[in-house]
């Protein structure tokens, strides 16, 4: 039996961040990370296309929480304790400056996730955190300590037995660990995918992959789910922030529908009637011109072409020749085009799920379990997830930092 003061289960972003902060604040403690893989920080490595989207340039807690479909209410207090600015400062102190991109995402100036990984590995070494790879946790057992009024932990891994006074679980969406936590008395909200793109087969978009509509409104029909932002047409359907936000906030509802539903897209963010009136003016002003060739509303040319053809006209139809039905068809395609979604695809390597430890069972002042004293959490092991853009990492940094602070004060 190998004895440690604190054991971190999971060698990802939250696990390393917690371990380093514990060891830095309390060099006298024996801290170990148990990682099931042959290397850790794999999600950090692939995030942001290999650049690592560390956080997002949103500095007001009340605004930041709006990016969390699950965890919004619970994270408000924690974000007042450790926020985006604190993350930036933490990395800069360690020689890893971050930069803000136009869309608010923040990356290391180096543009390489390896910079973040190197920073964590160097600090773990500096503060004598023991990182043990190929250690998959098979069992967690507790024994109550009268003296401290809390639990003592024994962990069985594929490589041996460990014991610790405190443990922090930062394993992300790991069904095996959720099962172990369930055995300790926790309730697990069943996981469903959160960030995904929509599979759509439709003549209007079949031949125009790569086209981006810069600002659209998308609604899932027969629900209150809607979002806005850029929309990317892909070889398999649709993606980009407007779709990914919808997939995150609609994760539970869309899973219930088995990812078969209809969306309505307003490509120009105008009402049907306003659009129709504008088209009538264009019918007069551009009378002799081809509708197909005179792109309007700042839409990408290829998208305009497809919407025109879908409105029962051909490439030679002139504005002057449009009848009432064709004008209404075009207004409909522009402001309320309906598409059938038939399935989902994973968004790049951003594996995110909705689900995990029930948030009512966690004290968000310390990220300690309310069910098992001395057991802490960080990151997506909890039923917290966010839209794309660095928000999931910010949740991991915040939870890990606050838990580390609570652990160092109570041991």
């Amino acid at each position: 039996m190998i004895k440690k003061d604190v054991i971190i289960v999971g060698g990802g972003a939250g696990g390393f961040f917690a371990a380093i902060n514990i060891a830095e604040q309390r060099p006298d403690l024996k801290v170990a990370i148990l990682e099931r893989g042959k290397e850790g920080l794999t999600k950090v490595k692939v995030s942001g296309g290999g650049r690592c989207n560390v956080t997002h340039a949103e500095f007001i807690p009340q605004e930041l929480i709006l990016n969390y479909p699950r965890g919004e209410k619970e994270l408000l207090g924690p974000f007042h304790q450790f926020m985006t600015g604190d993350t930036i400062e933490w990395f800069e102190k360690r020689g890893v400056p971050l930069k803000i991109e136009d869309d608010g995402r923040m990356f290391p100036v180096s543009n390489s996730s390896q910079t973040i990984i190197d920073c964590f590995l160097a600090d773990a070494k500096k503060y004598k955190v023991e990182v043990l790879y190929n250690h998959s946790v098979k069992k967690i057992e507790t024994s109550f300590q009268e003296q401290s009024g809390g639990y003592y932990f024994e962990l069985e891994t594929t490589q041996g037995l460990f014991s610790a006074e405190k443990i922090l679980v930062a394993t992300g969406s790991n069904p095996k660990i959720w099962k172990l936590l369930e055995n300790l008395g926790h309730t697990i909200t069943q996981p469903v995918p959160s960030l995904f793109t929509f599979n759509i087969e439709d003549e209007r978009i079949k031949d125009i992959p790569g086209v981006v509509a810069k600002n659209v409104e998308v609604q899932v029909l027969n629900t209150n789910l809607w979002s806005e932002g850029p929309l990317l047409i892909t070889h398999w359907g649709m993606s980009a922030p407007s779709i990914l936000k919808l997939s995150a906030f609609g994760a539970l509802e869309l899973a219930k529908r088995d990812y078969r539903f209809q969306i309505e897209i307003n490509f120009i963010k105008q009402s049907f009637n306003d659009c129709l009136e504008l088209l009538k003016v264009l019918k007069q002003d551009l009378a002799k011109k081809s509708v197909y060739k005179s792109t309007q509303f700042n839409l990408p040319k290829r998208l305009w072409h497809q919407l025109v053809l879908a409105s029962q006209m051909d490439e030679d139809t002139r504005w002057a020749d449009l009848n009432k039905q064709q004008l209404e068809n075009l207004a409909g395609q522009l402001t309320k085009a309906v598409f059938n979604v038939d399935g989902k695809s994973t968004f790049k390597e951003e594996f995110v799920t909705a689900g995990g430890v029930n948030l009512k069972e966690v004290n968000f002042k310390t990220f300690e379990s309310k069910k098992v004293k001395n057991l802490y959490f960080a990151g997506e092991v909890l039923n917290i997830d966010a839209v794309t853009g660095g928000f999931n990492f910010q949740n991991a940094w915040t939870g890990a930092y606050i838990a580390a602070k609570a652990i160092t004060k109570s041991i």
Side-chain angles (χ1 to χ4, degrees):
M1 179 86 66
I2 299 166
K3 191 174 184 306
K4 299 287 177 186
D5 296 305
V6 185
I7 285 176
I8 313 288
V9 182
F16 265 88
F17 204 75
I20 290 163
N21 281 292
I22 292 165
E24 183 186 19
Q25 290 169 42
R26 289 285 303 273
D28 57 311
L29 297 179
K30 288 180 185 169
V31 182
I33 295 173
L34 302 178
E35 164 55 39
R36 66 176 173 165
K38 61 175 190 275
E39 59 179 345
L41 301 164
T42 49
K43 206 165 177 182
V44 169
K45 193 169 194 172
V46 299
S47 155
R51 295 194 297 146
C52 190
N53 185 185
V54 178
T55 186
H56 201 95
E58 176 51 75
F59 300 95
I60 301 163
Q62 288 83 349
E63 295 294 323
L64 184 59
I65 59 170
L66 300 178
N67 296 285
Y68 296 84
R70 282 145 293 273
E72 177 185 331
K73 181 165 58 79
E74 289 81 6
L75 287 173
L76 183 59
F79 283 154
H80 275 96
Q81 280 196 65
F82 191 89
M83 183 60 177
T84 316
D86 302 301
T87 301
I88 296 165
E89 188 184 355
W90 194 94
F91 282 104
E92 288 200 337
K93 267 187 187 170
R94 288 159 175 81
V96 183
L98 306 181
K99 60 173 180 175
I100 303 172
E101 302 217 330
D102 291 345
D103 58 4
R105 291 181 303 158
M106 297 194 69
F107 295 90
V109 169
S110 67
N111 268 332
S112 171
S113 57
Q114 196 58 45
T115 311
I116 304 296
I117 294 169
D118 292 345
C119 166
F120 283 156
L121 294 176
D123 259 22
K125 192 176 179 183
K126 177 181 175 182
Y127 296 113
K128 297 182 171 56
V129 172
E130 193 173 1
V131 186
L132 300 165
Y133 297 107
N134 299 307
H135 277 67
S136 188
V137 175
K138 292 157 67 180
K139 201 184 282 183
I140 301 174
E141 291 184 336
T142 58
S143 53
F144 190 73
Q145 291 181 304
E146 293 284 344
Q147 197 178 352
S148 69
Y151 288 91
Y152 190 77
F153 301 91
E154 290 185 358
L155 294 88
E156 183 188 336
T157 78
T158 44
Q159 304 268 7
L161 299 172
F162 294 82
S163 68
E165 189 177 325
K166 310 262 181 186
I167 64 169
L168 182 144
V169 180
T171 46
S173 305
N174 184 329
K176 286 180 181 171
I177 298 296
W178 279 331
K179 188 70 195 158
L180 296 182
L181 294 172
E182 217 167 26
N183 294 341
L184 293 176
H186 274 286
T187 312
I188 304 299
T189 303
Q190 283 314 299
V192 295
S194 177
L195 281 182
F196 51 86
T197 59
F198 294 174
N199 293 352
I200 299 169
E201 276 190 41
D202 192 289
E203 283 298 316
R204 289 166 291 180
I205 62 170
K206 189 175 77 169
D207 298 323
I208 57 169
V211 165
V212 176
K214 285 188 178 160
N215 198 5
V216 307
E217 283 176 357
V218 190
Q219 182 179 0
V220 177
L221 289 179
N222 304 314
T223 71
N224 294 323
L225 294 167
W226 77 280
S227 74
E228 59 186 354
L231 178 131
L232 169 69
I233 291 163
T234 67
H235 287 287
W236 60 88
M238 293 180 181
S239 183
S242 63
I243 298 297
L244 296 169
K245 269 189 263 181
L246 213 49
S247 76
F249 281 91
L252 304 181
E253 180 62 40
L254 302 183
K256 272 187 217 161
R257 292 166 184 244
D258 197 26
Y259 308 105
R260 280 163 185 79
F261 52 92
Q262 289 186 312
I263 56 171
E264 183 180 279
I265 301 176
N266 188 332
F267 287 106
I268 60 173
K269 293 180 82 172
Q270 289 188 25
S271 73
F272 173 84
N273 289 334
D274 285 350
C275 176
L276 188 57
E277 290 309 308
L278 277 165
L279 292 177
K280 286 175 183 173
V281 172
L282 291 169
K283 178 177 157 75
Q284 303 295 325
D285 293 352
L286 304 174
K288 291 182 180 177
K289 292 192 174 177
S290 143
V291 180
Y292 183 86
K293 287 178 183 166
S294 34
T295 307
Q296 300 297 319
F297 304 104
N298 291 321
L299 284 177
K301 194 182 291 182
R302 290 195 293 156
L303 176 60
W304 171 263
H305 289 170
Q306 294 304 319
L307 297 180
V308 167
L309 295 176
S311 305
Q312 292 175 339
M313 47 185 112
D314 58 39
E315 292 184 27
D316 299 321
T317 307
R318 298 185 313 159
W319 284 97
D321 300 332
L322 291 184
N323 60 36
K324 181 171 180 279
Q325 189 59 57
Q326 286 171 318
L327 282 168
E328 287 180 359
N329 288 347
L330 185 53
Q333 290 293 340
L334 289 165
T335 62
K336 43 184 192 180
V338 175
F339 292 85
N340 293 314
V341 177
D342 186 16
K344 60 174 176 56
S345 300
T346 304
F347 173 61
K348 296 182 183 170
E349 296 88 358
E350 308 272 354
F351 302 116
V352 175
T353 56
V357 174
N358 188 312
L359 303 186
K360 289 190 172 74
E361 300 171 358
V362 180
N363 174 358
F364 281 92
K365 287 180 179 166
T366 58
F367 282 76
E368 185 178 17
S369 163
K370 288 180 181 176
K371 298 272 183 181
V372 183
K373 193 170 165 55
N374 295 335
L375 166 63
Y376 296 79
F377 303 105
E380 284 177 58
V381 67
L382 297 170
N383 185 22
I384 294 176
D385 63 285
V387 299
T388 183
F391 302 105
N392 282 301
F393 274 140
Q394 186 56 53
N395 165 45
W397 312 138
T398 295
Y401 182 86
I402 292 170
K405 203 170 160 189
I407 287 168
T408 54
K409 280 183 175 174
S410 63
I411 198 167

